[in-house]
Amino acid sequence: MQHSNNKSLPTLIAGPILRHVSSTEVTLWLVTSTPSCLSLSLFTETEQVFEQQLTQEQHQTIDIGKHAYIHLVTLTDVALKTEQNYYYDFTFHYQTQNEKLSEIAPALLYQSQQYCSFTVPDKVERMLHGSCRKPHFPSDDGLAQVDAVIEQTISTPTERPALLMMSGDQVYADDVAGPMLSAIHQVIALLGLYDETWQGAVINHSQQLYDSEFCYYHRERLLPHTRANEALYDKFFAASKKPIFTSVNAKNHLVTLAECFAMYLLVWSSAMWRLVEFNTPDLSADDLAKFTQEQQVLTGFQQTLPQVARALAHIPTYMIFDDHDITDDWNLTRGWEEAAYGHPFSKRIIGNSLIAYWLCQGWGNAPKKFTALNKEANKYFAQGYLQLDELVERVLDWQDWHYSLQTTPKIVVLDTRTQRWRSESRSSKPSGLMDWEALSEMQQELINEPQVILVSAAPIYGVKMIETIQRIFTFFGQPLMVDAENWMAHKGTANVMLNIFRHVKTPPEFIILSGDVHYSFVYDVSHRFQRSQSKIVQITSSGIKNKFPDKLLNALDRLNRALYGPYSPLNWFTKRRNMKVRVRKPSNSKKGLTLVNASGIGEIRLTHDEHIVQVNTLTASGEAIHFTVDKDEAS
């Protein structure tokens, strides 16, 4: 793969994405093709708030390639008001050139706009939420609906959504289309993203991987294996080998850090797509047919990327990882961890995805939390990717991915992946999503709050029928077969979480935002304890660009209603003590079905005086589905 020159590269290759915003802070993330100094202007319609060239403290840059620079801009100690539009513009200073964002990226502006704008969230009365965005899934992109909402409210600050919360699987590092992988490799060449070497594999250099006959659709032959995995896969899928990486679509699993970075540039922006050509690799007839089909879907994905990029420049956007941001079944069991981190090649692959998550997602959520890690970042990238083993160890040991937002209500975003409660009795049993220490820290965030929005990648309260199937597979020692990732799969985690809900100082009202499952539903849950009671609205919005198989989900939905409906004897035997669950019916429900299976984005509206939570799904096709309480549906 030959590196290209950068004559045709645009200055701005991704972003800006508006990240953390409060009354005293503004954070923006962007990627440029040149090592630009930046000036920032921030103003209202009547006054200038900030205008100057940014200092090193305000503007951090990390060089990830010869022509690729990640920037994080963080203004602190500014005084911003709520319910007011603020406008911003960058000037890029490179050598003798000075370019303004508003001039080089007019597609980021809405009609009649001269500059990008935002409002400051304080009291969260309207927000958007979703998860699971797979570029090559054959549906429209739900993130384009965020753009439609902002366009409708651009001149009405009080109506604009306070923020966008993306609660997992923003990218699919483990499930990549062939044409996307081809585009990734072209981006690596165009931007001169660095090569790397690793240990523990027959192929141990990034260029060898890119040139390998197994590079497209056959990477499972290059990924590390364990004997235990092989036996499992033989038994259930009649295949000869199974990677440590358990994704059924690992044939194009991202391996190198350069591939991970390029993937982010291609899912956040259309800039690099303009320079990409779908050159078909040398493929078999079957692989070629798949490549052609995936190419058609990705062409549609590209068409709405300008709307996605425009939306992300105008709304405070927060993110947290789930498994596909790194790899399927990430840290699901103690046995998985022992196999994955015990092999140098699989450890590097996981570490590369996590490094890319840190710099392209995690960093912008809470910049102050990453100060220590960021001070070291340029040391690792100063001479290419030569010190990745050391950096991988650093990010795998990092314990500060979670964060909270001091809004009203307070928002607490959980890390349910790296602080697992591991089973001591059997390595194949599912780990708890958070260990005792992490749950105790979470409880401290909740004390004496009147209402909290809790963000968990996986639903705390799942669909009983599906959880039953997961328990059956777990009983036979095969949780990896059904993604047995629910809060109740681990007794210790489940008990501690329920005890937190019953604590007298715990908020009496919770809103839980979750995703992961590729369908959407809303539960109203009430707990009655001796000394207190709590009311919970759990909103599961998934996926942004992904769905569950229609026929299978309809069958599971019907079975769940038949076996675990409010008047079913089985429901009484499985009913959790002192808990009532009401299922909200979607407005498009047919024959009593309660699960929405459509790509889109969730919309939540809060009425603080009346404590009412309204929930809609804005589907990628433009339909608005409303969830309403059915008083007869309680379990």
Side-chain angles (χ1 to χ4, degrees):
M1 189 172 68
Q2 298 297 317
H3 292 301
S4 302
N5 62 50
N6 69 331
K7 289 181 179 179
S8 59
L9 290 177
T11 300
L12 184 68
I13 54 181
I17 298 179
L18 185 66
R19 299 304 314 273
H20 177 55
V21 173
S22 72
S23 59
T24 59
E25 294 182 39
V26 179
T27 299
L28 294 123
W29 177 94
L30 60 154
V31 183
T32 65
S33 61
T34 61
S36 307
C37 294
L38 297 179
S39 293
L40 176 64
S41 297
L42 181 64
F43 47 94
T44 69
E45 292 179 356
T46 59
E47 65 176 324
Q48 193 80 34
V49 176
F50 180 93
E51 185 173 22
Q52 68 180 54
Q53 186 166 319
L54 298 167
T55 65
Q56 289 185 345
E57 290 73 26
Q58 296 165 335
H59 173 208
Q60 294 176 272
T61 304
I62 294 178
D63 150 20
I64 62 167
K66 293 180 180 178
H67 312 299
Y69 301 84
I70 294 179
H71 305 261
L72 195 77
V73 172
T74 306
L75 292 188
T76 58
D77 299 324
V78 290
L80 305 180
K81 300 175 183 178
T82 59
E83 298 186 349
Q84 180 172 324
N85 275 346
Y86 284 88
Y87 303 90
Y88 69 91
D89 199 12
F90 283 111
T91 302
F92 301 89
H93 307 286
Y94 176 63
Q95 294 179 351
T96 60
Q97 296 181 353
N98 296 295
E99 298 178 305
K100 286 188 174 293
L101 174 68
S102 53
E103 295 170 351
I104 65 173
L108 294 175
L109 306 178
Y110 291 96
Q111 189 173 6
S112 77
Q113 265 198 321
Q114 292 180 293
Y115 307 100
C116 293
S117 67
F118 64 90
T119 58
V120 180
D122 177 30
K123 184 178 288 186
V124 177
E125 296 183 336
R126 185 185 190 187
M127 65 178 293
L128 302 173
H129 162 245
S131 69
C132 309
R133 182 173 178 246
K134 184 161 73 170
H136 62 283
F137 186 82
S139 76
D140 293 333
D141 189 350
L143 272 192
Q145 292 303 311
V146 178
D147 180 70
V149 170
I150 295 172
E151 187 169 29
Q152 292 165 4
T153 60
I154 192 69
S155 58
T156 315
T158 55
E159 281 295 310
R160 288 177 72 164
L163 59 95
L164 166 66
M165 179 62 66
M166 302 195 350
S167 62
D169 299 341
Q170 281 69 252
V171 298
Y172 279 67
D174 60 328
D175 183 357
V176 181
M180 175 66 85
L181 192 58
S182 174
I184 284 169
H185 291 158
Q186 292 177 62
V187 168
I188 291 172
L190 286 163
L191 299 181
L193 303 187
Y194 301 131
D195 288 325
E196 65 184 277
T197 60
W198 53 81
Q199 302 298 318
V202 175
I203 289 176
N204 58 17
H205 190 279
S206 49
Q207 286 295 330
Q208 290 179 330
L209 171 68
Y210 306 151
D211 295 336
S212 169
E213 63 179 310
F214 303 125
C215 182
Y216 290 91
Y217 296 110
H218 298 285
R219 288 193 170 195
E220 75 279 6
R221 303 189 187 191
L222 305 174
L223 297 175
H225 299 72
T226 67
R227 293 183 64 184
N229 281 120
E230 290 174 15
L232 181 151
Y233 209 61
D234 284 346
K235 184 175 181 180
F236 286 91
F237 290 105
S240 59
K241 290 184 177 181
K242 172 63 177 173
I244 289 170
F245 301 100
T246 50
S247 171
V248 296
N249 298 310
K251 295 181 178 183
N252 286 329
H253 199 302
L254 299 184
V255 170
T256 69
L257 183 54
E259 288 181 331
C260 295
F261 281 140
M263 178 75 161
Y264 277 104
L265 301 179
L266 291 167
V267 300
W268 293 145
S269 171
S270 61
M272 293 308 298
W273 282 108
R274 300 184 191 111
L275 306 178
V276 163
E277 298 178 1
F278 282 128
N279 300 318
T280 308
D282 185 14
L283 301 172
S284 68
D286 288 344
D287 291 341
L288 180 60
K290 189 171 184 63
F291 188 99
T292 302
Q293 181 269 327
E294 291 172 338
Q295 181 179 330
Q296 292 173 349
V297 178
L298 283 174
T299 298
F301 175 73
Q302 293 173 59
Q303 290 174 351
T304 53
L305 272 177
Q307 290 99 296
V308 170
R310 183 168 65 171
L312 296 180
H314 289 76
I315 185 170
T317 302
Y318 298 88
M319 310 172 190
I320 190 66
F321 47 48
D322 202 14
D323 55 345
H324 294 292
D325 293 287
I326 312 300
T327 189
D328 193 22
D329 296 328
W330 181 31
N331 296 343
L332 177 61
T333 67
R334 176 166 59 86
W336 188 97
E337 291 190 58
E338 290 169 352
Y341 300 123
H343 194 293
F345 188 27
S346 55
K347 186 176 184 179
R348 169 63 70 84
I349 294 170
I350 295 166
N352 282 344
S353 293
L354 194 53
I355 292 166
Y357 169 82
W358 154 43
L359 292 175
C360 298
Q361 293 197 61
W363 190 9
N365 291 322
K368 291 179 181 178
K369 300 189 77 168
F370 292 91
T371 300
L373 194 55
N374 291 335
K375 283 182 178 178
E376 304 171 8
N378 277 314
K379 174 185 76 173
Y380 296 116
F381 293 103
Q383 295 178 317
Y385 304 157
L386 299 179
Q387 302 185 66
L388 282 186
D389 285 334
E390 185 180 344
L391 183 54
V392 164
E393 294 288 349
R394 192 82 170 85
V395 297
L396 290 177
D397 289 340
W398 191 256
Q399 296 289 302
D400 234 357
W401 301 110
H402 56 288
Y403 58 97
S404 61
L405 305 176
Q406 303 306 314
T407 50
T408 303
K410 183 176 185 177
I411 299 176
V412 178
V413 183
L414 305 180
D415 166 8
T416 60
R417 282 290 168 184
T418 73
Q419 298 175 311
R420 292 272 169 132
W421 194 328
R422 297 166 183 87
S423 172
E424 296 181 5
S425 63
R426 194 170 63 186
S427 65
S428 62
K429 289 179 68 174
S431 298
L433 271 63
M434 293 172 66
D435 62 18
W436 185 87
E437 291 83 359
L439 287 165
S440 298
E441 184 179 348
M442 179 196 80
Q443 186 176 20
Q444 294 303 308
E445 291 274 4
L446 304 177
I447 288 177
N448 295 326
E449 293 288 337
Q451 186 182 43
V452 163
I453 298 175
L454 197 66
V455 180
S456 164
I460 293 178
Y461 304 95
V463 178
K464 278 189 177 181
M465 185 67 229
I466 295 173
E467 288 189 345
T468 299
I469 294 171
Q470 291 172 334
R471 281 196 293 272
I472 292 170
F473 275 83
T474 299
F475 177 81
F476 289 104
Q478 309 299 341
L480 297 172
M481 302 299 302
V482 289
D483 286 340
E485 309 207 51
N486 63 76
W487 281 85
M488 302 304 161
H490 186 278
K491 187 175 181 180
T493 299
N495 285 337
V496 172
M497 179 59 82
L498 291 176
N499 284 335
I500 289 173
F501 286 143
R502 81 167 65 206
H503 196 281
V504 69
K505 292 185 178 180
T506 292
E509 296 184 13
F510 280 92
I511 298 169
I512 300 171
L513 304 182
S514 63
D516 178 57
V517 292
H518 302 166
Y519 49 87
S520 301
F521 61 97
V522 180
Y523 287 167
D524 289 272
V525 183
S526 58
H527 291 268
R528 291 184 175 86
F529 306 115
Q530 187 173 357
R531 293 186 302 162
S532 64
Q533 65 179 23
S534 59
K535 294 181 179 179
I536 299 166
V537 180
Q538 178 183 273
I539 303 159
T540 302
S541 297
S542 178
I544 293 173
K545 197 177 190 295
N546 213 336
K547 287 172 54 178
F548 208 87
D550 282 313
K551 291 183 179 179
L552 178 58
L553 188 66
N554 287 342
L556 292 171
D557 200 350
R558 291 190 179 93
L559 276 172
N560 185 69
R561 181 175 171 81
L563 297 178
Y564 297 102
Y567 305 109
S568 165
L570 186 60
N571 179 57
W572 287 99
F573 286 111
T574 59
K575 205 169 189 177
R576 296 187 180 103
R577 188 176 56 182
N578 299 326
M579 183 189 303
K580 178 178 283 188
V581 179
R582 294 189 184 277
V583 183
R584 295 200 188 184
K585 289 282 185 68
S587 57
N588 69 337
S589 175
K590 297 178 180 178
K591 299 180 180 179
L593 298 182
T594 60
L595 306 178
V596 171
N597 200 24
S599 294
I601 200 81
E603 180 192 34
I604 301 101
R605 291 178 179 266
L606 308 183
T607 306
H608 294 278
D609 293 340
E610 300 175 9
H611 303 278
I612 295 173
V613 181
Q614 299 176 345
V615 183
N616 304 312
T617 290
L618 309 177
T619 70
S621 60
E623 179 185 8
I625 299 173
H626 314 288
F627 289 87
T628 56
V629 178
D630 187 334
K631 294 182 179 180
D632 295 327
E633 282 289 327
S635 61

